[in-house]
Amino acid sequence: MMDFPREKEEVKNRKFVEALARGLDILRAFSYGGGVLGNQEIAAITGLPKPTVSRMTYTLMELGYLSYSPRLEKYQLDAGVLALGYAYTSNLKVRQVVKPLMDDLAHRTKVSVGLVARERLSMIYVENCRGDNSQSLRMEVGSRLPMETSSAGRAYLAALNADERQVFLNLLESKSGDKWPGIAAGIEDAVTCYEENGYCLSLGDWDKMVNAVAVPFRLQDGKTMCLSVGGPSYLVTAEMVTDLFAPQLIHVVRDIVNMGV
């Protein structure tokens, strides 16, 4: 079963609509399940009863958020979800302000520069700029990264205070199982690196073929986002990440903060 932690501790009160939460969990399941899912697969991912899933998927299909393939007997996301995502990204002020700086950095470094936000226990690309396509990561808007092993996820955790970070560490520990000791050590090293150097690394940790660095920054509304730079490890060495890309990334983030976004 896929763990879907809420933004806040669920308190059963009149304001929380359980049916709506379940419907959104079903939509999120498609980002984990490969894009085409049957009711039984959705039930396994979300932990919801199959009869509940069947009612929800039918409703979401009628509303234009899912489409159904009679041949496959499975569902996939439909245009209604795309419309919501476009509305979010098109109205995201920081994306509009930061993109020129990202484009400039991408062309100078000739690798991928990503603007990343948190979504539950994952990190989501809300913008990505590529300089030299032969050396750039193919991460599109909406691509998902694991919080615990990506440079952006580690940067997000490093930017939190100790109490806030511990909440996420507890959730990540429950999710990670036997892998947790190694993952926890990587996060601890990343927090130390951020405190000492101002950035977080992922050198083959998320993907053994990818080296990346990220720096977090806080928006005026209090939301934390991250800017990351990375590329294939056969072209982008650990030394390039720390000695070349990290200082430039810190400088760009400082410019973003000074803009008062």
Side-chain angles (χ1 to χ4, degrees):
M1 183 180 78
M2 182 61 65
D3 181 26
F4 283 142
R6 305 292 182 197
E7 291 291 326
K8 298 179 180 179
E9 180 181 4
E10 283 189 21
V11 178
K12 302 305 180 183
N13 57 37
R14 291 177 300 172
K15 293 184 179 180
F16 190 86
V17 182
E18 185 67 35
L20 176 59
R22 289 179 173 184
L24 294 174
D25 280 346
I26 286 173
L27 293 178
R28 285 190 176 95
F30 286 86
S31 64
Y32 295 95
V36 181
L37 298 172
N39 285 333
Q40 186 169 342
E41 294 165 307
I42 295 171
I45 292 172
T46 61
L48 296 173
K50 188 177 177 183
T52 299
V53 170
S54 297
R55 294 194 299 271
M56 292 287 180
T57 52
Y58 176 81
T59 302
L60 290 167
M61 180 185 69
E62 290 294 303
L63 294 174
Y65 295 109
L66 294 179
S67 61
Y68 181 73
S69 169
R71 182 177 65 84
L72 298 175
E73 297 184 343
K74 293 187 177 184
Y75 293 90
Q76 62 185 357
L77 297 178
D78 207 353
V81 175
L82 178 62
L84 291 177
Y86 177 76
Y88 168 72
T89 55
S90 64
N91 288 289
L92 191 62
K93 179 182 177 182
V94 63
R95 178 174 176 259
Q96 301 166 8
V97 172
V98 171
K99 192 176 187 307
L101 298 177
M102 293 175 63
D103 281 329
D104 180 64
L105 181 59
H107 283 94
R108 282 191 279 113
T109 59
K110 302 187 184 302
V111 289
S112 176
V113 179
L115 178 64
V116 190
R118 181 182 70 84
E119 202 278 326
R120 297 197 173 187
L121 293 184
S122 298
M123 306 301 293
I124 301 291
Y125 272 78
V126 297
E127 184 60 86
N128 189 45
C129 300
R130 295 191 291 265
D132 183 341
N133 286 336
S134 66
Q135 299 186 43
S136 298
L137 295 178
R138 296 287 180 171
M139 303 298 291
E140 304 298 336
V141 172
S143 296
R144 184 181 296 268
L145 297 171
M147 176 181 284
E148 62 271 27
T149 55
S150 66
S151 62
R154 290 171 170 178
Y156 181 88
L157 291 170
L160 301 175
N161 64 46
D163 291 338
E164 292 171 333
R165 188 183 306 124
Q166 191 59 51
V167 172
F168 283 96
L169 293 180
N170 292 341
L171 292 169
L172 290 169
E173 181 177 7
S174 298
K175 167 188 171 184
S176 302
D178 294 341
K179 297 180 180 179
W180 177 243
I183 290 172
I187 293 173
E188 184 177 353
D189 289 344
V191 172
T192 299
C193 185
Y194 176 67
E195 292 172 348
E196 295 179 353
N197 304 304
Y199 58 80
C200 290
L201 301 171
S202 178
L203 304 177
D205 301 312
W206 159 56
D207 184 318
K208 64 181 180 180
M209 297 300 295
V210 174
N211 289 331
V213 57
V215 176
F217 61 96
R218 193 175 297 274
L219 304 180
Q220 286 190 332
D221 63 6
K223 184 176 182 178
T224 296
M225 301 189 77
C226 302
L227 205 64
S228 67
V229 173
S233 56
Y234 61 86
L235 292 172
V236 178
T237 65
E239 291 74 18
M240 291 172 64
V241 170
T242 56
D243 298 342
L244 179 62
F245 299 153
Q248 296 186 64
L249 191 59
I250 290 172
H251 180 77
V252 171
V253 168
R254 188 176 297 122
D255 288 343
I256 293 171
V257 172
N258 290 336
M259 289 179 177
V261 181

